[in-house]
Amino acid sequence: MTHKTTRKTDPAAFKSSRSNAPQSPQGPRKGATKLTLVTDLLTRPEGASIEELCAVTGWQAHSVRGAMAGALKRKGLVVISEKYEGIRRYRTEPVS
């Protein structure tokens, strides 16, 4: 005879943490993914710092850099890194 135990779990424990993620400075886009938020910030004329990108996505710095080096390159974007007043800023330009 086997005995099955059922565990009662709180449904709130399975809620997505995405609702707690900070929004982009321009506001959320409908259907925006974290990668599109990164792309939006990088296409601004002033670009974005790693800190800004981390705040918007909730990612760690190495994840943001990895997304720029991998996923954005596959999309055909060139990421430019510049240091301005001691802060490194990143921006994108389309491949010509």
Side-chain angles (χ1 to χ4, degrees):
M1 180 170 173
T2 55
H3 184 281
K4 252 187 172 174
T5 25
T6 57
R7 191 182 311 175
K8 301 222 181 209
T9 23
D10 180 19
F14 295 105
K15 276 193 170 185
S16 172
S17 62
R18 290 181 186 215
S19 60
N20 297 333
Q23 301 299 323
S24 75
Q26 296 91 9
R29 286 189 347 193
K30 185 173 181 170
T33 65
K34 290 182 180 182
L35 195 57
T36 58
L37 294 174
V38 169
T39 306
D40 288 347
L41 290 177
L42 293 177
T43 55
R44 300 182 304 177
E46 70 274 14
S49 68
I50 286 290
E51 291 79 18
E52 292 170 332
L53 296 168
C54 289
V56 169
T57 60
W59 292 342
Q60 294 183 4
H62 68 275
S63 299
V64 171
R65 288 186 195 98
M68 289 190 291
L72 296 183
K73 273 188 181 179
R74 283 191 296 274
K75 285 186 169 192
L77 297 173
V78 174
V79 179
I80 298 167
S81 169
E82 301 172 323
K83 203 164 196 179
Y84 181 72
E85 294 182 3
I87 298 173
R88 183 152 309 275
R89 299 195 63 84
Y90 299 87
R91 60 186 177 86
T92 60
E93 288 186 357
V95 176
S96 46

